[in-house]
Amino acid sequence: MSWGLCGAALAATLVTPAAQAAAGEQHGPGHRPAWTLTETGTDARFRGLAAVSSRTAWAAGSKGTVLRTTDGGRHWRDVSPPGATEAALEFRDIEAFDARRAVVLAIGEGDASRVFRTDDGGTTWTESFRNTDARAFYDCLTFFDSRHGLAMSDPVDGTFRILSTADGGRSWKVLPTTGMPDALAGEAGFAASGQCLVSSGPKDVWLATGGAATARVLHSADRGLTWTATASTIPAGDPARGVFGLAFRDRTRGIAVGGDYRADQASPNAAAVTGNGGRSWQQSTTAPPAYRSGVAWVPHTRSTALAVGPTGTDLTTDGGRTWRTVDAGSYDTVDCTPDGGCWAAGEKGRIARLG
């Protein structure tokens, strides 16, 4: 069962009984929109997801696994970089420009952190970065356009470390830290959904943190040269708590999700919103009921977004102020596309699509 709906219809169908009834008339009695799992042929855990369109998507996960589909998830092709499986690389983020060009990040201490790029749909890959500093641990990457992008590492010498590329990920350089605020004691990023570093527009980028006394969101308006840090409302104070995922629909309106990733721990106040580019954050009035690691705006809507985590998917139709659970399946990350398609990925090879 596939939604086959644009973003606006998707949101309406979720929210109103009348629209749900209309969908039932269109798709048959008993139709209720839901994630549709696809057959991936693997049990890898996919925390990296790059949705290009309703037909084309890339997923990156454990065991050095990278998959790609160009037919809406009916078939997934294993396009893992050579040697990645044998090296047991942990791919946690992937950014794709189209069906042929993608950049994928492997995380870990020292040389476990690596970046690969493909220009031919994953037939061949080039390793464009391998970390040589044992103190660095890269978590996430993001691109402003097909040439300019950043990757972030947990703090080294007291500040988060930022890599920059101006050639689509073919080469990288470490940016100076003079414009980066000092990290808090115990502060780090979470490589949980590929959304601890996100961008919107040509120059704005946000970095999510946790692990310290306060969970913060750092913002740069000049592609990572200078940053400001703002406290979020999401609880921290423990290495397992903080902001795990960010989504900005433009340079002002954003959503943060997170909590405590331990299954036996509660995650109150696990979502927050901003309307001023992250200069301040407001706690969601009705937050998701549990930890959430991924969040995405639904295209062609003004205020609809999805948040996902191991215990379910939540929907907001008011820009993140209130949320309600709409699916109980386990997912780690979510991404939506300009043509209205939404995808989610997670444990045990789970990749699903809405439209």
Side-chain angles (χ1 to χ4, degrees), residues 45-326:
R45 186 167 194 168
F46 294 106
R47 296 182 183 269
L49 177 65
V52 176
S53 70
S54 59
R55 294 185 58 81
T56 298
W58 302 67
S62 60
K63 306 177 184 179
T65 307
V66 178
L67 302 184
R68 185 192 68 146
T69 184
T70 56
D71 60 7
R74 286 191 292 275
H75 303 89
W76 289 92
R77 177 186 169 200
D78 187 335
V79 295
S80 307
T85 300
E86 292 76 10
L89 295 182
E90 283 287 332
F91 290 125
R92 295 292 181 91
D93 200 356
I94 186 166
E95 302 291 328
F97 310 117
D98 49 39
R100 298 184 62 80
R101 298 176 297 161
V103 178
V104 64
L105 170 72
I107 68 156
E109 296 178 348
D111 65 3
S113 286
R114 306 177 192 181
V115 177
F116 299 83
R117 177 188 165 100
T118 182
D119 289 298
D120 56 14
T123 300
T124 62
W125 293 85
T126 300
E127 182 181 306
S128 59
F129 173 77
R130 182 178 297 203
N131 178 42
T132 58
D133 190 335
R135 303 168 298 170
F137 185 114
Y138 287 86
D139 298 292
C140 293
L141 75 162
T142 189
F143 276 82
F144 304 96
D145 52 44
S146 61
R147 294 171 52 217
H148 300 92
L150 301 176
M152 59 82 69
S153 163
D154 290 338
V156 176
D157 293 330
T159 59
F160 285 93
R161 176 171 289 181
I162 304 295
L163 282 181
S164 175
T165 180
D167 56 13
R170 295 178 179 86
S171 63
W172 299 83
K173 65 177 182 179
V174 177
L175 292 181
T177 59
T178 52
M180 175 68 74
D182 291 340
L184 303 178
E187 192 172 30
F190 291 111
S193 61
Q195 296 178 345
C196 60
L197 186 73
V198 301
S199 57
S200 180
K203 293 185 177 180
D204 287 276
V205 58
W206 295 264
L207 188 161
T209 82
T214 301
R216 304 193 296 175
V217 177
L218 281 63
H219 171 238
S220 171
D222 55 12
R223 291 183 182 163
L225 295 177
T226 59
W227 298 78
T228 56
T230 302
S232 77
T233 62
I234 294 178
D238 186 279
R241 298 179 191 148
V243 180
F244 283 73
L246 296 168
F248 277 79
R249 63 171 305 152
D250 51 40
R251 67 189 312 265
T252 60
R253 291 172 290 178
I255 297 174
V257 298
D260 190 318
Y261 68 75
R262 295 171 295 192
D264 62 343
Q265 298 295 313
S267 291
N269 307 326
V273 299
T274 181
N276 57 16
R279 290 194 298 274
S280 63
W281 291 86
Q282 294 76 47
Q283 177 182 315
S284 294
T285 305
T286 304
Y291 156 74
R292 295 294 182 253
S293 53
V295 59
W297 292 94
V298 176
H300 313 302
T301 66
R302 291 180 58 84
S303 54
T304 301
L306 297 163
V308 300
T311 62
T313 299
D314 301 295
L315 171 78
T316 178
T317 57
D318 56 15
R321 290 187 293 276
T322 62
W323 298 83
R324 69 180 182 91
T325 302
V326 294

Side-chain angles (χ1 to χ4, degrees), residues 21-39:
E25 293 178 4
Q26 179 180 355
H27 297 282
H31 175 85
R32 188 176 190 277
W35 288 116
T36 301
L37 281 170
T38 64
E39 179 56 54

